[in-house]
């Protein structure tokens, strides 16, 4: 009986993800490539198996909103040559570039004592808040940014330039990070105070990601967009955890 109970979440995860991704497979609008569907299935099983439906809701919110935002102004972005490849359909590299940090946090909850689990849950939500902030900022900025500036010099540059920022994109990123953090709070993964820390960490990490894009990315062949995305989400998770630890220390003082 204990064996069956312990494996029930994983069995549910396998069944649910198989059904949902079968629907994605036959849907007319391709949100994922064939290989991307398989890797998204692996990610979905891992998240449900470790964090239950609560963690799954958060990652699904990221995937659905991120996919929708990517398609904003798609024709305009494709004409300008700054659209995501494959018309926004995500492959394995996109799945793990966006969610590897979150997956590591989720796996970590199986290994740590309960007092530290809350920090990993915060890291999980913060990593996805950071990625959604980056996605919203980039895609809205490319579609609607009236003026885009290089983050290192604040000189005007063309939309879609690595390291470019815009007011419209920045505001969209803040909204995106708050939205997914509120979902994380709504399902009970983080506290209401943590929502603010997630948004702050996402803002910091996303701007650091723009800085990396403007200074380092073109200098190293291995520093692909997906690698930078992983670094971005890792920074977001770490900053959120450090902010909470600092807040706890301050509160005790």
């Amino acid at each position: 009986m204990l064996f069956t109970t312990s494996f029930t979440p994983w069995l549910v995860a396998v069944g649910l993800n198989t059904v949902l991704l079968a629907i994605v497979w036959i849907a007319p609008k391709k949100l994922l490539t064939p290989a991307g569907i398989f890797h998204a299935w692996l990610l979905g099983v891992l998240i449900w198996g470790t964090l239950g439906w609560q963690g799954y809701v958060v990652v699904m919110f990221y995937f659905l909103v991120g996919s929708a935002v990517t398609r904003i102004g798609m024709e305009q972005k494709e004409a300008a040559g700054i659209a995501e490849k494959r018309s926004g359909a995500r492959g394995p590299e996109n799945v793990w570039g966006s969610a590897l940090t979150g997956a590591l946090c989720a796996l970590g909850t199986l290994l740590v004592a309960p007092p530290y689990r809350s920090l990993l849950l915060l890291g999980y939500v913060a990593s996805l808040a950071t990625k959604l902030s980056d996605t919203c900022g980039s895609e809205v900025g490319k579609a609607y940014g009236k003026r885009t500036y290089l983050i290192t010099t604040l000189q005007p540059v063309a939309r879609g330039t690595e390291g470019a920022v815009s007011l419209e994109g920045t505001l969209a990123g803040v909204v995106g990070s708050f939205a997914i953090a509120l979902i994380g709070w709504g399902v009970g993964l983080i506290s209401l105070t943590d929502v603010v820390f997630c948004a702050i960490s996402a803002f910091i990490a996303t701007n650091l990601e723009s800085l990396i894009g403007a200074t380092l990315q073109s200098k190293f062949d291995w520093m692909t967009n997906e690698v930078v995305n992983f670094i971005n989400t890792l920074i977001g998770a770490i900053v959120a955890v450090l902010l909470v630890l600092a807040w706890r220390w301050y509160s005790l003082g």
Side-chain angles (χ1 to χ4, degrees):
M1 179 66 70
L2 180 60
F3 177 85
T4 303
T5 302
S6 63
F7 272 84
T8 297
W10 295 96
L11 294 174
V12 171
V14 168
L16 176 66
N17 281 279
T18 299
V19 171
L20 290 180
L21 288 168
I23 295 172
V24 171
W25 178 278
I26 64 176
K29 283 192 174 294
K30 299 304 178 186
L31 301 179
L32 292 156
T33 67
I37 288 176
F38 174 70
H39 285 265
W41 182 88
L42 288 176
L43 175 66
V45 170
L46 186 155
I47 297 302
W48 188 290
T50 54
L51 301 182
W53 67 267
Q54 295 93 334
Y56 195 79
V57 165
V58 175
V59 76
M60 282 295 291
F61 182 85
Y62 161 72
F63 172 67
L64 294 174
V65 175
S67 296
V69 170
T70 299
R71 283 171 164 72
I72 290 177
M74 180 59 73
E75 291 185 3
Q76 175 186 345
K77 289 184 287 189
E78 286 180 335
I82 56 175
E84 290 293 316
K85 57 185 179 181
R86 301 184 297 254
S87 296
R90 286 164 163 74
E93 72 281 7
N94 305 115
V95 172
W96 296 112
S98 301
L100 180 57
T101 297
L104 293 174
C105 289
L107 285 171
T109 63
L110 302 178
L111 305 174
V112 302
Y116 301 103
R117 190 172 185 268
S118 63
L119 293 177
L120 288 174
L121 292 176
L122 172 64
Y124 172 76
V125 176
S127 72
L128 292 172
T130 298
K131 189 64 194 79
L132 188 59
S133 175
D134 175 51
T135 301
C136 290
S138 175
E139 298 302 328
V140 170
K142 286 189 289 188
Y144 300 118
K146 294 181 180 179
R147 298 177 181 176
T148 53
Y149 303 92
L150 194 65
I151 193 170
T152 52
T153 64
L154 297 183
Q155 295 299 312
V157 291
R159 294 179 186 177
T161 302
E162 289 293 346
V165 295
S166 67
L167 176 61
E168 294 83 359
T170 299
L171 291 176
V174 171
V175 171
S177 63
F178 262 111
I180 197 167
L182 285 169
I183 294 295
W185 167 70
V187 298
L189 292 183
I190 60 174
S191 70
L192 190 56
T193 303
D194 290 343
V195 171
V196 178
F197 293 136
C198 282
I200 294 173
S201 64
F203 181 80
I204 292 171
T206 300
N207 281 282
L208 287 176
E209 190 260 359
S210 295
L211 186 62
I212 292 171
T215 58
L216 298 177
Q217 190 169 357
S218 62
K219 297 180 180 180
F220 302 98
D221 292 337
W222 57 268
M223 192 170 280
T224 63
N225 285 336
E226 290 71 39
V227 171
V228 173
N229 284 338
F230 169 67
I231 295 171
N232 181 31
T233 57
L234 184 62
I235 292 172
I238 292 173
V239 170
V241 170
L242 291 177
L243 286 173
V244 165
L245 291 176
W247 175 256
R248 290 179 182 177
W249 177 81
Y250 175 80
S251 299
L252 290 174

